[in-house]
Amino acid sequence: MHFHDTQRKVDYVLAYHYRKRGVHHGSPAHSLAVISNGETGKDRHAGGPGDIELGPLDALEEERREQREEFESNLMAAGLELEKDLESKSQGSVFVRIHAPWQVLAREAEFLKIKVPTKKMYEIKAGGSITKKLNTVLQKLSVPLQPRVPEHSNNRMKSLSYPFSREKMYLYNIQEKDTFFDSATRSRIVHEILKRTACSRANNTMGINSLIANNIYEAAYPLHDGEYDSAGEDMNDRKLLYQEWARYGVFYKFQPIDLIRKYFGEKIGLYFAWLGLYTSFLIPSSIIGVIVFLYGCATIEEDIPSKEMCDQQNAFTMCPLCDKSCDYWNLSSACRTARASHLFDNPATVFFSIFMALWATMFLENWKRLQMRLGYFWDLTGIEEEEEHSRPEYETRVREKMLKENDKSVVQKLETNATEGGDDGGDDEDKLTWKDRFPGYLMSFASILFMIALTFSIVFGVIVYRITTAAALSLNKATRSNVRVTVTATAVIINLVVILILDEIYGAVAKWLTKIEVPKTEQTFEERLILKAFLLKFVNAYSPIFYVAFFKGRFVGRPGSYVYVFDGYRMEECAPGGCLMELCIQLSIIMLGKQLIQNNIFEIGVPKLKKLFRKLKDETEPGEADPEHSKPPEQWDLDYSLEPYTGLTPEYMEMIIQFGFVTLFVASFPLAPVFALLNNVIEVRLDAKKFVTELRRPDAVRTKDIGIWFDILSGIGKFSVIINAFVIAVTSDFIPRLVYQYSYSHNGTLHGFVNHTLSFFNVSQLKEGTQPENSQFDQEVQFCRFKDYREPPWAPNPYEFSKQYWSVLSARLAFVIIFQNLVMFLSVLVDWMIPDIPTDISDQIKKEKSLLVDFFLKEEHEKLRLTDEPAQRSQGGGDSSRRSQSGAASSAPSALSPPGSRASSGSQHTNL
């Protein structure tokens, strides 16, 4: 964790791989190449005879070495202290350790306006007496669920925070300079310097990210706070996080959000806070979902339509399901499907849909409140957006553009710049215009359309598979009885496999498309990548479900006039109990399959395979024997072997897709919140373990919110209202039952509903060649029944849509409009009733401003008093006292000047 002097802390590490010219033999001696002030341990440029001629690889390596030397010297010029080992072997990895002394930390903290705690502390009031008592009771009850970390022990007191200023050092409680800034803040400061340090040899490349992109350095990362599984009593933040957060054995405990934020930064802290709130909100929705499901189980015997379908005496003779090979069949044979569909198609699901729409609104409102609360405790209120540096790809593209411009007219450009003066002439050349980006935008648009069309094509391919497989299985008597179950199960599994494969492909394609658009900053790049990846993955995950919910069985036609996909293959139709049961099966298998395979097996298995592959690669890599290899590895070696941190986009994406499963089609699958809750309990600890044990430590990033993800969540919440309205109105039998009960039933019950929904068809009007061959039906069939609202054969307009059809259709549209407006109104009402900023937090923010002003005035008066006292004493004393005072004053700079002493103590290592 420290330099070899065991005093200076390693704040950041740069790693690169080197390959020397020729092959050098000899015993490698462990010595330091650069020690804080640039002194060299050995002459690294001294080589043997093999160094005379430079091959192409040697020239490239020499160029990279010079660029590294310049960059490191620029870092030392910025005040950083460096240390690295000697390049003693023919090839290998070198780690450049970086330490930021106090002067650099103080300077950069002031530039970055980092808020730090002052000497003043105050108590946070819990509001009214009832609220205070309730909080006390809840705290006592939740003691077993609280993680045992220091941050949770005293959350009633808070320090006043103020942006760091070197002129106001007296405001801060600086006991030890080495520990005043925590490790995350120190690494953040060093990372800011690394991002803005230029390298003229690398085409004036700005920042470490550009150098890594050009393979000058391999990696740049802050160090973890030691090992997480080390033996002994010594405790560090990483070990504490592992014991109280990143183990499956503590799944029942709350997350130590403050410690997560302290160790990983605000951006990752907000992600885990959001994930924790989302998981806790799934608990009430899971309970209501289970109650709705149990209500369906309890009322299954009372459901009149399913009873009528199962009644053998009704003997509804149904039309054949396919041409030639399929026979007439009794509706009572579909008894199981009808009874099972009642579990999810009952009046309680309508209530549950309204509840889940309001649940989504309440979740987002509570997240806004929690975000404000965390922003207050983490001192994020009023932070300014940090200026972002350009991405390396953007700089390269601008440089290429300027070179082309220079090749065209160098003289003309110089004259233009001279006449216009200043920097105005180079503005257009120093940035990319919409004309430069247009090919990238066009390519993105065309590629996204192609990917969406590809997804729809695959869905259509699965439909064709279902139709052809059903027709093939119907030819065999042995498989005819289980056709629907076999086709549905295999088609859903095919859909799941395709979704998992396309998810990985679409993620890579979205990244490539965003790169060719050449966004200027990392934030712009991330936002565009998120939008593309979300759009593609959303279409990929939900298109099979949308087909079953809204399109399957709608374009079948009728007996005697069926719609054919190919010659002889009829469009598939829904089961006798409706498509809702199949929608439930499709949704549950895809949701559970994605969570189990993609979110858990991939997240656990893939990192382990990568680590194993990297370990095997290191072992098989040719190299010289290192006599110090038997020594325990340093922390930078251990961290280098970990996976690099690639951002939070995959973590958010899987949760957003899951949020869609929970809200969009919840009317067809009330148990979705239960399975999401079970998954998330594991997901929290899985992500925690990954961040603590398997990833390099990320750079601490300050941010006030979760960014574009909140807008996506809000959009899904509003979209779910429309989707659930159509699922209830179109997919389920809720509206047809209501229309029959209140318009056509003789006694106001559902008796006769099944007969009401079945139309008659004269079998003599079947097309030639489509009649059942070798029919073994028990009785002579003159009329068969099919599910639709059509006029009977003896009506003046046979087989036209009946009056009941238009009544049901109008009722469905009316329900969609009423449901949507009612739920939207209730959502707006909930949004209005719950304020975005909690009242106690807004009061505390006002109180903090007042306390800060009082604290400033008090400290300023104290400072003035201390400076006035020596002056008053000097006026009251005699000549001798004046002489003694002048003598004391002459020694004051060395004894009484804190800034000077701080500077000297901070630069001890430089003068070593």
Side-chain angles (χ1 to χ4, degrees):
M1 298 297 297
H2 294 81
F3 279 14
H4 281 85
D5 59 10
T6 69
Q7 298 295 321
R8 289 170 289 176
K9 190 177 187 298
V10 177
D11 296 317
Y12 219 87
V13 174
L14 307 180
Y16 65 87
H17 191 85
Y18 72 90
R19 190 184 68 83
K20 283 197 172 184
R21 288 173 265 152
V23 180
H24 296 267
H25 299 283
S27 60
H30 185 86
S31 58
L32 301 182
V34 179
I35 309 176
S36 72
N37 58 354
E39 294 177 3
T40 54
K42 282 191 177 183
D43 188 3
R44 289 171 293 161
H45 309 297
D51 296 338
I52 298 171
E53 295 184 5
L54 293 178
L57 287 175
D58 291 332
L60 180 62
E61 185 62 37
E62 182 68 19
E63 184 183 354
R64 288 175 178 170
R65 184 185 62 77
E66 291 174 355
Q67 291 171 2
R68 284 194 293 266
E69 284 182 354
E70 186 202 351
F71 184 71
E72 288 163 15
S73 65
N74 289 343
L75 291 179
M76 287 190 284
L80 297 176
E81 299 175 1
L82 311 183
E83 176 186 88
K84 67 178 178 180
D85 299 328
L86 186 66
E87 297 175 5
S88 54
K89 296 188 288 186
S90 60
Q91 63 176 354
S93 296
V94 170
F95 299 98
V96 182
R97 280 89 70 186
I98 302 176
H99 168 76
W102 170 257
Q103 297 94 325
V104 175
L105 292 172
R107 180 190 73 210
E108 296 297 323
E110 187 171 347
F111 290 164
L112 297 172
K113 298 180 180 176
I114 294 175
K115 284 188 174 183
V116 294
T118 61
K119 296 175 185 176
K120 176 71 175 176
M121 294 190 72
Y122 67 97
E123 185 180 1
I124 301 170
K125 294 185 178 179
S129 58
I130 299 174
T131 311
K132 194 172 183 179
K133 287 178 182 178
L134 187 62
N135 286 339
T136 307
V137 172
L138 289 175
Q139 282 180 358
K140 287 181 180 178
L141 291 175
S142 64
V143 166
L145 305 178
Q146 296 290 350
R148 292 174 297 186
V149 296
E151 277 69 18
H152 280 263
S153 58
N154 185 14
N155 54 4
R156 301 299 309 150
M157 301 297 294
K158 184 180 185 296
S159 296
L160 276 177
S161 296
Y162 186 74
F164 189 85
S165 172
R166 287 174 291 181
E167 295 179 356
K168 296 183 173 64
M169 300 283 280
Y170 54 88
L171 296 176
Y172 315 111
N173 189 18
I174 305 176
Q175 296 176 351
E176 285 188 37
K177 293 177 185 175
D178 291 339
T179 58
F180 180 68
F181 294 106
D182 58 32
S183 57
T185 307
R186 293 174 71 100
S187 63
R188 178 184 163 218
I189 287 172
V190 174
H191 185 61
E192 286 295 326
I193 298 174
L194 289 171
K195 284 198 296 186
R196 69 163 188 258
T197 303
C199 181
S200 60
R201 289 180 183 271
N203 297 320
N204 286 319
T205 300
M206 182 67 74
I208 185 63
N209 294 334
S210 301
L211 295 175
I212 291 175
N214 294 329
N215 296 317
I216 296 166
Y217 287 98
E218 268 192 84
Y221 52 91
L223 288 182
H224 277 294
D225 284 358
E227 294 189 56
Y228 64 88
D229 56 354
S230 59
E233 296 295 326
D234 57 321
M235 187 63 68
N236 56 61
D237 285 347
R238 187 187 188 194
K239 192 173 181 180
L240 192 60
L241 281 171
Y242 177 73
Q243 291 181 356
E244 295 295 323
W245 178 54
R247 292 187 302 115
Y248 295 113
V250 293
F251 72 93
Y252 60 91
K253 289 189 176 183
F254 294 128
Q255 298 184 89
I257 293 297
D258 293 327
L259 185 60
I260 297 168
R261 169 253 178 178
K262 177 189 171 187
Y263 192 77
F264 291 112
E266 282 77 9
K267 189 171 185 178
I268 293 174
L270 282 175
Y271 163 71
F272 281 104
W274 175 84
L275 181 58
L277 182 71
Y278 171 50
T279 304
S280 62
F281 255 72
L282 284 172
I283 295 172
S285 60
S286 300
I287 294 170
I288 302 295
V290 170
I291 292 172
V292 168
F293 178 74
L294 292 177
Y295 170 81
C297 295
T299 57
I300 194 168
E301 298 296 334
E302 302 169 11
D303 184 44
I304 296 171
S306 61
K307 275 185 178 181
E308 290 183 348
M309 285 183 68
C310 295
D311 189 1
Q312 299 281 352
Q313 296 178 356
N314 285 329
F316 295 112
T317 303
M318 306 299 292
C319 297
L321 295 173
C322 63
D323 296 342
K324 290 185 181 180
S325 58
C326 295
D327 203 350
Y328 302 106
W329 57 287
N330 276 323
L331 185 61
S332 58
S333 62
C335 175
R336 290 181 183 177
T337 310
R339 288 169 67 86
S341 64
H342 176 73
L343 299 176
F344 305 100
D345 190 1
N346 56 68
T349 55
V350 180
F351 156 76
F352 191 56
S353 299
I354 298 172
F355 169 79
M356 286 304 293
L358 298 179
W359 173 88
T361 304
M362 290 188 68
F363 164 63
L364 293 176
E365 288 302 310
N366 274 274
W367 167 245
K368 284 194 279 189
R369 289 168 63 83
L370 178 60
Q371 200 168 246
M372 286 302 301
R373 190 176 293 277
L374 292 175
Y376 163 69
F377 283 106
W378 293 354
D379 300 317
L380 300 176
T381 51
I383 65 165
E384 300 176 4
E385 291 292 331
E386 296 176 5
E387 182 183 354
E388 287 204 66
H389 301 283
S390 299
R391 297 177 63 250
E393 293 83 356
Y394 182 84
E395 290 181 352
T396 306
R397 187 74 177 271
V398 170
R399 199 178 300 117
E400 289 173 358
K401 179 187 174 184
M402 293 181 71
L403 287 173
K404 287 180 183 177
E405 295 290 334
N406 289 339
D407 291 340
K408 287 180 181 177
S409 54
V410 178
V411 178
Q412 183 180 357
K413 182 181 174 186
L414 290 172
E415 288 175 355
T416 306
N417 288 350
T419 54
E420 291 182 2
D423 298 329
D424 298 334
D427 282 349
D428 292 335
E429 288 80 6
D430 291 348
K431 63 183 180 182
L432 298 181
T433 61
W434 68 271
K435 292 180 181 178
D436 301 315
R437 288 195 171 101
F438 182 73
Y441 290 150
L442 188 62
M443 183 69 180
S444 289
F445 183 72
S447 299
I448 289 172
L449 285 182
F450 172 75
M451 293 295 169
I452 293 174
L454 175 66
T455 304
F456 291 157
S457 303
I458 291 172
V459 172
F460 181 72
V462 175
I463 295 169
V464 172
Y465 161 80
R466 295 160 69 120
I467 294 170
T468 53
T469 307
L473 292 175
S474 299
L475 296 173
N476 191 343
K477 290 182 180 179
T479 57
R480 194 174 296 168
S481 58
N482 297 319
V483 168
R484 196 178 294 278
V485 176
T486 307
V487 170
T488 301
T490 54
V492 171
I493 292 170
I494 291 171
N495 272 327
L496 175 62
V497 172
V498 168
I499 285 170
L500 293 176
I501 294 171
L502 288 183
D503 254 1
E504 301 302 316
I505 295 172
Y506 286 170
V509 169
K511 196 169 185 179
W512 175 70
L513 290 176
T514 311
K515 281 182 178 178
I516 64 175
E517 289 180 7
V518 201
K520 184 174 182 180
T521 63
E522 284 295 339
Q523 184 178 354
T524 313
F525 178 88
E526 188 179 11
E527 288 179 354
R528 292 184 185 179
L529 173 62
I530 288 167
L531 284 175
K532 289 184 186 66
F534 172 73
L535 176 62
L536 292 173
K537 293 190 177 188
F538 182 89
V539 171
N540 181 39
Y542 295 114
S543 52
I545 301 170
F546 269 91
Y547 163 71
V548 174
F550 303 123
F551 298 102
K552 185 179 179 182
R554 313 289 167 199
F555 311 103
V556 177
R558 61 170 180 83
S561 180
Y562 282 116
V563 176
Y564 291 87
V565 182
F566 300 112
D567 188 25
Y569 292 107
R570 277 163 37 181
M571 279 293 291
E572 58 178 348
E573 49 189 304
C574 292
C579 275
L580 199 71
M581 189 63 200
E582 189 174 338
L583 176 61
C584 172
I585 295 170
Q586 183 104 1
L587 184 68
S588 59
I589 291 179
I590 290 177
M591 179 182 176
L592 294 175
K594 269 182 69 69
Q595 288 184 168
L596 183 65
I597 298 172
Q598 191 176 41
N599 298 358
N600 293 328
I601 293 177
F602 281 11
E603 283 194 26
I604 296 170
V606 172
K608 288 189 182 298
L609 287 174
K610 284 183 178 179
K611 193 174 182 179
L612 180 64
F613 177 74
R614 196 165 52 246
K615 187 179 180 181
L616 292 172
K617 184 183 174 185
D618 292 341
E619 289 175 356
T620 56
E621 199 173 70
E624 299 167 11
D626 193 347
E628 301 199 358
H629 188 68
S630 58
K631 280 190 174 184
E634 300 284 359
Q635 189 62 45
W636 46 84
D637 291 305
L638 295 171
D639 288 5
Y640 182 68
S641 66
L642 299 176
E643 278 290 305
Y645 168 72
T646 55
L648 287 170
T649 301
E651 317 301 333
Y652 272 114
M653 188 66 72
E654 64 185 67
M655 288 295 107
I656 297 294
I657 296 295
Q658 186 204 81
F659 183 78
F661 281 121
V662 169
T663 54
L664 288 179
F665 294 94
V666 76
S668 63
F669 189 41
L671 295 179
V674 179
F675 292 111
L677 175 63
L678 295 175
N679 174 79
N680 285 11
V681 169
I682 301 170
E683 182 71 24
V684 170
R685 306 302 161 179
L686 184 65
D687 284 349
K689 190 174 183 182
K690 183 170 70 174
F691 273 88
V692 173
T693 66
E694 295 173 5
L695 295 181
R696 292 175 193 160
R697 188 173 183 176
D699 294 303
V701 178
R702 283 178 76 81
T703 183
K704 293 187 289 187
D705 49 40
I706 60 174
I708 197 172
W709 295 112
F710 183 84
D711 300 325
I712 292 175
L713 284 167
S714 182
I716 290 176
K718 291 178 174 60
F719 190 48
S720 68
V721 177
I722 304 168
I723 294 297
N724 280 305
F726 276 99
V727 167
I728 295 167
V730 177
T731 313
S732 75
D733 279 340
F734 177 72
I735 298 301
R737 290 184 182 192
L738 281 182
V739 172
Y740 174 78
Q741 188 173 358
Y742 295 105
S743 299
Y744 297 99
S745 176
H746 299 295
N747 53 6
T749 64
L750 287 174
H751 287 288
F753 172 73
V754 174
N755 185 49
H756 179 75
T757 59
L758 298 176
S759 300
F760 286 90
F761 180 75
N762 191 340
V763 297
S764 62
Q765 296 176 354
L766 284 171
K767 286 184 179 179
E768 191 66 30
T770 62
Q771 298 96 336
E773 294 179 345
N774 304 321
S775 176
Q776 298 178 355
F777 202 65
D778 298 338
Q779 56 196 18
E780 184 77 21
V781 179
Q782 184 180 0
F783 295 101
C784 65
R785 310 293 294 271
F786 63 98
K787 191 172 182 180
D788 207 346
Y789 292 101
R790 290 183 182 267
E791 297 287 352
W794 53 83
N797 299 314
Y799 308 127
E800 293 293 325
F801 286 119
S802 62
K803 187 176 71 172
Q804 290 93 327
Y805 172 82
W806 300 110
S807 301
V808 171
L809 181 62
S810 59
R812 281 173 165 163
L813 295 176
F815 175 82
V816 168
I817 294 169
I818 294 169
F819 181 90
Q820 181 182 334
N821 285 282
L822 173 66
V823 175
M824 287 291 188
F825 168 75
L826 292 175
S827 300
V828 171
L829 186 65
V830 169
D831 190 357
W832 175 75
M833 289 174 65
I834 302 175
D836 292 348
I837 305 176
T839 310
D840 60 328
I841 294 299
S842 59
D843 293 341
Q844 294 291 349
I845 291 172
K846 293 173 186 175
K847 177 185 174 182
E848 191 170 279
K849 288 180 180 178
S850 166
L851 286 172
L852 195 60
V853 171
D854 295 341
F855 175 63
F856 264 36
L857 292 174
K858 182 181 176 183
E859 290 295 324
E860 287 290 335
H861 289 156
E862 185 68 19
K863 183 183 176 185
L864 288 171
R865 188 180 65 79
L866 290 173
T867 53
D868 287 346
E869 280 180 359
Q872 291 172 1
R873 284 202 300 270
S874 64
Q875 288 175 2
D879 292 336
S880 61
S881 64
R882 288 193 186 96
R883 283 194 299 272
S884 65
Q885 283 286 347
S886 64
S890 65
S891 62
S894 62
L896 298 174
S897 62
S901 64
R902 288 189 183 98
S904 62
S905 66
S907 59
Q908 282 179 6
H909 302 302
T910 307
N911 300 329
L912 185 62

